[in-house]
Amino acid sequence: SHQPLCPPGIKCGGVLSAPSGNFSSPNFPGLYPYETECTWLIVVAEGSSVLLSFSHFELEYHDACAYDYLQVYNGAARDQGNLLGTFCGHSPPPPFSSAWHVMAVVFRSDRHVAKHGFAAAYRKDACGGQLTGLSGEITSPRYPESYPNNAECRWSIGGAGGGGPLTLVFADFQMEGGQGCGFDYVALFDGPTVAAPRLGRYCGSARPPRTISSTPHLLIVFKSDFNIGGRGFKAHFYSAGECQEVFTTIKGNFSSPQYPSFYPNNLKCQWSIQLPPGYRVKVFFLDMELEGRSSLTGGCDYDHLSAFDGGTENGSLLGRWCGREILAPVTSRSNRLLLVLHTDRNTAKRGFSISYVGVVPMNVSCTRTDFHIQIPVQSLAQLERNRIYLGTPSCAAQVVGRNFKIHTRFDTCGTESQRRNNTSVIISTLYIDFSVGGQEDIHQYEVQCEPKRKEASVTLIAGPDPSRLSQAENLVDAQQREGEAMDAREIKSQDTSDIVFISICILAGLLMVIAVVGLVLL
């Protein structure tokens, strides 16, 4: 832990637990001392939030605030996932509203150039403020108790450096109703001030629709009149782009916010992959490091990544992961897959990098001598038939009705015979060439037939960027390969011992022959 470096006699940092209070840099309004580090931890009643504002701010300036600086944390200090911002120079930080009942402020000065420092005030449960995270939660004052009369709160969201539009979703909403929402209301503006275009004005008990801003700023205004209240509201916001994306292309990749730097705390991010009907989604985990499992339950109770079949969290759970794991690919059963990242209030890690590829719907069957492959034309609507071929480009698909069809004998189209699990199988590779312009993009499927049983199967073997994929699959296969290498070493050692044994037998035989011949001659 960092000890304050304050010169003797200078009061610096500490825990602030009153419902409201003020604090300032050492010696304020005089010049702050050199080589000083102070940490203030603001802790108010659980369930409350903290509003922090600065009335004066003057620190030594540097482009990256590397000399003297002030840092504001949404929670305990030193956890990079909680950092709301680092400030220096003459522009004061905006008023900050914490996502929970703890906030920390760290001030540090180096050994040169002192300025007048800062003065700050905080109070609990003040409504409104500046929210800068990639995602967060907003509630009306006293929620879920009835909100106070004559309240007016303004939450300005944005400026997190994400730069993407913002999405706001109401989880709960109950306010006084009335024609035109003239009494109590929530108003949303597409920008940082009320001068921006209004996105909506809501009251009553119907939940407002999901709202997406067109700018990286969103202003939420809550107002109540002199009587009749309600439970109020609870809403979540997140920055689109880094924290919420929808993919409709046949393949793609994405990563956790700020990857490979630490992801922020207090996130709920969603990535939805939506492919044409008939497709399935195969997800490859290229890298993953989240906060580890709970030592109490052994489960992923803190930060975790979940995959759901279908477009919503009501779909069946395909997996829930945390910690640092090497994961095998996951394939959906439908044409939609949803990935959700939850992070809690502390301990951020590097995050994850993922790529996915759509598994093309196809029907593969075989006889004792032939492969039959059928793919609906609408699944590959933009492709010419010569972009779909088995083994070699000369074995391209034909268009028959609404299907691409390949019907070929086993002795053509690059097929080969192999033994797998002591069974004779016929193998070939189906190529689907999605390349556009100079971008090569060829997906490969291994087609397999067991002629005796007339049973065929198909497996996607290469989809996303092969170099990154092979890296990921190498990691997964490495342990497998180690096992195989062990087997191979055992087989080898068996081979060598067999050779030695056979050599000894041959040598003994030769000696016996020589002895017999010698006896006869004698």
Side-chain angles (χ1 to χ4, degrees):
S1 71
H2 292 255
Q3 293 299 316
L5 304 173
C6 274
I10 288 182
K11 192 164 177 278
C12 171
V15 177
L16 307 171
S17 53
S20 64
N22 301 289
F23 60 99
S24 56
S25 49
N27 292 344
F28 183 83
L31 300 180
Y32 51 75
Y34 300 129
E35 296 198 285
T36 301
E37 182 173 320
C38 316
T39 300
W40 291 267
L41 191 65
I42 305 166
V43 184
V44 296
E46 188 123 22
S48 300
S49 63
V50 180
L51 179 71
L52 176 70
S53 56
F54 292 85
S55 56
H56 185 91
F57 192 85
E58 187 197 346
L59 270 62
E60 180 186 5
Y61 177 76
H62 175 259
D63 274 355
C65 296
Y67 302 148
D68 300 352
Y69 60 78
L70 181 120
Q71 290 181 319
V72 181
Y73 289 87
N74 186 10
R78 304 286 165 213
D79 187 331
Q80 286 305 303
N82 285 338
L83 183 63
L84 290 171
T86 300
F87 306 95
C88 62
H90 288 257
S91 331
F96 281 110
S97 187
S98 70
W100 59 310
H101 70 291
V102 178
M103 204 171 210
V105 178
V106 175
F107 165 71
R108 186 170 182 125
S109 64
D110 65 4
R111 59 180 60 185
H112 309 284
V113 188
K115 299 281 184 181
H116 293 280
F118 70 89
Y122 76 91
R123 62 185 199 276
K124 88 176 181 84
D125 282 341
C127 65
Q130 178 79 25
L131 297 157
T132 60
L134 286 172
S135 78
E137 186 179 282
I138 298 169
T139 57
S140 49
R142 299 182 191 162
Y143 175 89
E145 306 295 324
S146 193
Y147 54 79
N149 294 327
N150 298 311
E152 182 172 343
C153 316
R154 295 183 179 205
W155 293 270
S156 176
I157 309 172
L166 293 155
T167 301
L168 183 72
V169 180
F170 284 88
D172 188 19
F173 194 88
Q174 194 225 338
M175 294 175 65
E176 180 185 4
Q179 195 70 42
C181 294
F183 306 126
D184 299 353
Y185 63 84
V186 169
L188 310 177
F189 296 88
D190 196 0
T193 66
V194 290
R198 195 168 80 187
L199 294 169
R201 182 165 165 148
Y202 305 101
C203 60
S205 54
R207 255 190 330 185
R210 171 186 293 253
T211 301
I212 301 174
S213 70
S214 66
T215 73
H217 293 276
L218 183 66
L219 178 68
I220 300 162
V221 176
F222 163 77
K223 203 164 185 338
S224 64
D225 67 359
F226 61 92
N227 67 358
I228 309 175
R231 193 169 60 241
F233 70 86
K234 176 180 176 179
H236 299 274
F237 69 88
Y238 33 86
S239 165
E242 269 202 289
C243 196
Q244 197 206 22
E245 288 184 272
V246 177
F247 297 92
T248 54
T249 53
I250 299 300
K251 71 171 199 177
N253 44 55
F254 54 91
S255 51
S256 48
Q258 299 172 12
Y259 176 87
S261 298
F262 285 14
Y263 50 75
N265 292 323
N266 289 307
L267 285 182
K268 182 185 177 184
C269 298
Q270 300 192 344
W271 294 267
S272 176
I273 303 167
Q274 302 172 5
L275 299 183
Y279 274 82
R280 287 177 304 136
V281 184
K282 188 166 186 176
V283 170
F284 300 88
F285 300 90
L286 306 178
D287 180 28
M288 192 177 91
E289 187 189 0
L290 305 180
E291 184 178 3
R293 291 175 179 273
S294 157
S295 56
L296 290 175
T297 66
C300 293
D301 302 344
Y302 307 136
D303 300 350
H304 56 265
L305 178 69
S306 306
F308 298 91
D309 208 339
T312 70
E313 291 181 66
N314 302 333
S316 65
L317 183 69
L318 295 172
R320 176 170 161 138
W321 306 280
C322 60
R324 191 172 182 174
E325 295 182 39
I326 294 166
L327 302 174
V330 169
T331 306
S332 68
R333 291 185 281 277
S334 71
N335 62 323
R336 290 172 176 239
L337 184 136
L338 177 70
L339 282 151
V340 181
L341 172 69
H342 275 274
T343 70
D344 64 5
R345 290 172 176 167
N346 53 23
T347 318
K349 296 284 183 185
R350 190 173 66 236
F352 66 80
S353 171
I354 278 176
S355 62
Y356 76 87
V357 63
V359 180
V360 173
M362 64 179 79
N363 191 346
V364 178
S365 59
C366 67
T367 65
R368 288 177 182 276
T369 55
D370 302 53
F371 270 125
H372 293 266
I373 299 169
Q374 196 166 299
I375 302 174
V377 166
Q378 69 175 43
S379 301
L380 303 173
Q382 277 74 46
L383 296 190
E384 302 288 323
R385 66 176 189 84
N386 63 352
R387 297 283 202 99
I388 304 134
Y389 55 90
L390 189 69
T392 60
S394 58
C395 293
Q398 303 296 324
V399 179
V400 181
R402 294 183 176 182
N403 291 300
F404 289 115
K405 284 193 176 179
I406 296 177
H407 177 191
T408 113
R409 293 180 60 79
F410 290 158
D411 53 3
T412 59
C413 300
T415 48
E416 57 175 90
S417 180
Q418 287 185 9
R419 280 193 80 73
R420 291 192 181 175
N421 302 332
N422 289 334
T423 309
S424 201
V425 292
I426 305 293
I427 307 283
S428 188
T429 304
L430 175 71
Y431 296 90
I432 303 178
D433 186 352
F434 288 99
S435 306
V436 179
Q439 281 292 109
E440 188 178 272
D441 184 14
I442 301 173
H443 296 205
Q444 296 173 34
Y445 291 81
E446 183 183 80
V447 183
Q448 177 179 324
C449 173
E450 204 179 309
K452 275 187 186 170
R453 293 184 176 178
K454 300 182 187 172
E455 278 184 5
S457 65
V458 61
T459 319
L460 174 74
I461 50 175
D465 176 11
S467 62
R468 291 177 72 192
L469 240 192
S470 60
Q471 223 180 342
E473 301 226 297
N474 283 351
L475 291 172
V476 178
D477 296 345
Q479 296 151 324
Q480 230 170 312
R481 274 206 305 277
E482 273 173 31
E484 286 165 15
M486 289 271 295
D487 299 345
R489 281 199 294 277
E490 280 167 25
I491 291 163
K492 263 190 190 154
S493 59
Q494 270 178 330
D495 292 350
T496 51
S497 56
D498 291 350
I499 291 162
V500 170
F501 179 68
I502 292 162
S503 309
I504 290 166
C505 289
I506 292 167
L507 195 61
L510 278 169
L511 288 169
M512 275 181 71
V513 170
I514 292 163
V516 170
V517 171
L519 279 169
V520 170
L521 289 173
L522 283 166

